[in-house]
C-alpha cells in the first residue's frame, strides 16, 4: 500500500464541509454512493451496506429503519469525510477509500428470501472490498457471514460477538430457525466456525436457558458476562477473544448488537436489558479487537438499532443516541483497520506539551 491521505482520495471534500448536514442525499457520512458491481473499478476498499430487515425479530420490531437512522446520525457533524480521532491519532480516510453501496433488497413478508438477498449483496461487496453491514435485526449476520466467506473462499472463520444474548438457539426464540436468536447456531451448524473460535462478550439476563449454555460449553464456546466485563481488565478479554478467533482460522467477523449496551446509553433497540456495557467499554474493546486483526480478512456488522425507541429520534432526520453510537462504532472499526493496515499500535494523536496529571509540587500557602 502506498502512502496517501484523504486529500489524495477525496480531494477537497476530505476536509471541507461542502453542504449543510440537512442537504443532499444522506449516504453514510455523505460518502460517495457506488454500485456494488463497480467497487473494484472505483478503487473502493470498504463497502457500506444497509440490511433493513426486521421480520426475523421476535419482540419489538423497527430495525428495518436502522440503516436509515445510522446514516442520518452519521451526517452529524460535518465535515463529511475527515475523521481524525483525537484519542487514537488516526483518520481512516487517509488510508481507505470508502463508499456507500446502498441497501440489500428486502422482500416484506418473505424473510428467508430477504436474507438470501442480503447474502448475495455481501458476496458481491466481499469479492472486491471489506464489507461493513448496518442492520436490521441480528438474523442478518448469518447471510452476512455466508456471503463474505463464500466470496473469499473462507472455510474456517473466527467470530467475536458483542451481545446481550447468545443467539445460539436451535430454532431461535419462537421456532423459526433463521430468526435473530439462531444465527450463531446456523453458522456453527454449517461448519464455518468451530466453538473454540467463538467468543461472546456481554451476555446477561434470562435467555437462552441453561440447556443452550451447556451445549455452548460442550462445543468449546466461551463467554464473558456483562458483570464479568465490568470487573475485569478489558485488555485481557480482548486478548483472549482475538487469540481464540484467529487460532487456525482464515478470517474473523465481528458482530455488534447494540442491546449489549446498558439501555440507559442505547435505548433504541428491540430487546433492552438492564446491566449492559457502557460506551467507553464497548468503544475501547471494539478498537482493540479490530486493531489486532488482519483488515484484508475481516468483516463487521452492527445490528438491532431500532430508532422508534431511541432517545432524541422522532424522525431519523439526524439520528438518535443509539444510532449515533452505531455510527461511531463503524468509524472506530475503520480507524482500527487503518492502524492494522499500517502495522501501528497507535496513530499520532496531538498531546499537550506538558505530561498529563500534576507536573510539580503544589504550592503551600505563605505564613501569615
Amino acid at each position: 500500500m502506498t502512502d496517501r491521505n484523504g486529500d489524495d482520495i477525496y480531494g477537497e471534500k476530505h476536509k471541507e464541509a461542502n453542504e449543510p448536514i440537512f442537504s443532499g442525499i444522506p449516504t453514510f457520512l455523505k460518502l460517495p454512493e457506488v454500485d456494488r458491481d463497480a467497487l473494484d473499478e472505483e478503487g473502493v476498499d470498504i463497502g457500506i451496506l444497509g440490511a433493513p430487515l426486521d421480520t426475523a425479530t421476535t419482540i419489538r420490531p423497527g430495525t428495518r429503519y436502522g440503516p436509515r437512522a445510522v446514516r442520518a446520525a452519521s451526517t452529524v457533524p460535518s465535515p463529511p469525510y475527515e475523521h481524525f480521532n483525537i484519542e487514537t491519532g488516526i483518520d481512516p480516510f487517509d488510508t481507505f477509500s470508502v463508499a456507500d453501496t446502498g441497501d440489500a433488497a428486502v422482500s416484506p413478508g418473505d424473510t428467508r428470501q430477504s436474507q438470501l438477498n442480503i447474502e448475495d449483496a455481501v458476496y458481491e461487496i466481499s469479492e472486491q472490498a471489506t464489507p461493513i453491514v448496518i442492520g436490521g435485526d441480528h438474523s442478518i449476520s448469518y447471510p452476512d457471514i455466508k456471503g463474505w466467506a463464500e466470496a473469499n473462499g473462507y472455510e474456517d472463520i473466527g467470530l467475536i460477538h458483542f451481545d446481550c444474548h447468545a443467539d445460539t438457539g436451535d430454532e431461535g426464540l419462537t421456532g423459526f430457525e433463521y430468526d435473530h436468536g439462531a444465527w450463531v447456531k446456523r453458522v456453527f451448524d454449517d461448519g464455518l466456525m468451530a466453538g473454540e473460535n467463538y467468543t461472546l462478550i456481554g451476555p446477561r439476563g434470562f435467555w437462552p436457558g441453561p440447556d443452550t449454555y451447556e451445549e455452548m460449553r460442550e462445543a468449546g464456546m466461551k463467554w464473558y458476562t456483562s458483570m464479568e466485563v465490568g470487573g475485569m481488565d478489558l485488555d485481557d478479554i480482548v486478548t483472549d477473544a482475538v487469540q481464540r478467533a484467529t487460532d487456525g482460522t482464515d478470517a474473523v467477523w465481528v458482530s455488534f448488537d447494540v442491546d449489549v449496551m446498558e439501555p440507559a446509553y442505547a435505548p433504541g433497540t428491540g430487546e433492552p436489558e438492564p446491566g449492559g456495557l457502557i460506551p467507553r467499554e464497548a468503544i475501547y474493546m471494539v478498537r482493540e479487537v479490530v486493531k489486532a486483526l488482519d483488515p484484508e480478512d475481516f468483516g463487521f456488522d452492527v445490528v438491532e438499532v431500532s430508532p422508534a425507541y431511541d432517545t432524541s429520534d422522532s424522525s431519523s432526520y439526524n439520528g438518535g443516541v443509539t444510532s449515533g453510537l452505531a455510527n461511531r462504532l463503524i468509524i472506530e472499526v475503520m480507524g482500527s483497520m487503518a492502524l492494522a493496515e499500517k502495522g501501528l499500535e497507535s496513530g499520532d494523536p496531538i498531546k499537550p506539551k506538558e505530561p498529563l496529571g500534576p507536573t510539580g509540587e503544589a504550592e503551600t500557602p505563605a505564613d501569615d
Side-chain angles (χ1 to χ4, degrees):
M1 186 192 71
T2 57
D3 288 335
R4 56 182 179 173
N5 60 44
D7 292 331
D8 297 332
I9 301 170
Y10 300 105
E12 66 178 12
K13 289 186 177 181
H14 177 241
K15 291 187 176 180
E16 295 185 8
N18 294 289
E19 63 182 10
I21 62 172
F22 52 81
S23 296
I25 304 300
T27 61
F28 185 76
L29 294 177
K30 292 196 176 180
L31 288 163
E33 184 171 6
V34 176
D35 289 340
R36 286 191 289 276
D37 61 1
L39 299 179
D40 190 51
E41 177 185 340
E42 296 294 329
V44 173
D45 302 304
I46 298 172
I48 307 293
L49 175 71
L53 173 70
D54 68 357
T55 52
T57 301
T58 52
I59 301 183
R60 301 196 304 185
T63 57
R64 66 182 62 185
Y65 293 105
R68 180 175 294 183
V70 174
R71 286 185 173 107
S74 79
T75 64
V76 182
S78 292
Y81 301 169
E82 183 183 34
H83 278 75
F84 178 82
N85 189 308
I86 65 171
E87 293 175 314
T88 62
I90 193 75
D91 184 339
F93 301 111
D94 284 344
T95 302
F96 299 121
S97 171
V98 186
D100 193 325
T101 71
D103 287 348
V106 170
S107 302
D110 192 339
T111 300
R112 190 69 190 117
Q113 184 58 55
S114 297
Q115 292 169 340
L116 293 172
N117 294 345
I118 293 166
E119 182 178 327
D120 289 343
V122 176
Y123 182 102
E124 194 168 12
I125 293 171
S126 301
E127 286 186 301
Q128 308 162 81
T130 296
I132 291 180
V133 187
I134 310 170
D137 68 49
H138 217 157
S139 74
I140 71 160
S141 290
Y142 175 53
D144 289 350
I145 290 170
K146 283 266 289 185
W148 166 74
E150 290 179 7
N152 290 284
Y154 302 140
E155 296 182 354
D156 300 288
I157 67 110
L159 178 58
I160 300 175
H161 176 198
F162 292 84
D163 203 326
C164 176
H165 311 100
D167 294 349
T168 50
D170 284 325
E171 293 184 336
L173 280 78
T174 56
F176 177 48
E177 62 181 327
Y178 296 104
D179 87 8
H180 67 164
W183 68 273
V184 174
K185 190 65 161 55
R186 301 287 78 80
V187 174
F188 179 76
D189 286 348
D190 279 0
L192 274 171
M193 176 196 72
E196 290 81 5
N197 298 129
Y198 169 84
T199 304
L200 170 64
I201 299 173
R204 61 195 186 278
F206 311 100
W207 188 90
D211 290 346
T212 300
Y213 271 101
E214 288 281 1
E215 293 174 1
M216 292 168 61
R217 182 166 65 181
E218 289 302 311
M221 296 181 178
K222 193 170 185 179
W223 54 93
Y224 292 89
T225 69
S226 180
M227 292 296 180
E228 288 165 342
V229 171
M232 292 183 63
D233 186 324
L234 300 182
D235 288 316
D236 289 342
I237 299 172
V238 167
T239 298
D240 187 32
V242 169
Q243 287 177 346
R244 289 171 55 82
T246 57
D247 185 12
T249 61
D250 305 317
V252 178
W253 189 273
V254 176
S255 186
F256 193 101
D257 186 331
V258 296
D259 74 15
V260 76
M261 305 298 296
E262 163 57 47
Y265 297 105
T269 192
E271 299 189 27
E273 181 72 44
L277 274 57
I278 64 172
R280 280 195 301 273
E281 293 170 336
I283 290 170
Y284 180 81
M285 285 191 287
V286 166
R287 278 181 187 170
E288 295 303 304
V289 161
V290 177
K291 191 170 65 177
L293 300 174
D294 184 349
E296 297 294 324
D297 295 305
F298 171 74
F300 176 77
D301 58 25
V302 57
V303 300
E304 298 286 355
V305 172
S306 193
Y309 313 111
D310 206 2
T311 305
S312 80
D313 190 333
S314 59
S315 62
S316 286
Y317 291 145
N318 291 309
V321 170
T322 312
S323 52
L325 171 70
N327 159 62
R328 172 69 180 274
L329 289 169
I330 293 171
I331 301 171
E332 294 286 354
V333 163
M334 294 191 295
S336 289
M337 288 175 63
L339 289 171
E341 178 75 14
K342 295 174 179 291
L344 298 175
E345 181 66 24
S346 65
D348 191 17
I350 311 302
K351 294 293 186 181
K353 289 182 179 180
E354 294 184 354
L356 300 180
T359 56
E361 294 183 3
E363 294 183 4
T364 57
D367 292 336
D368 290 337

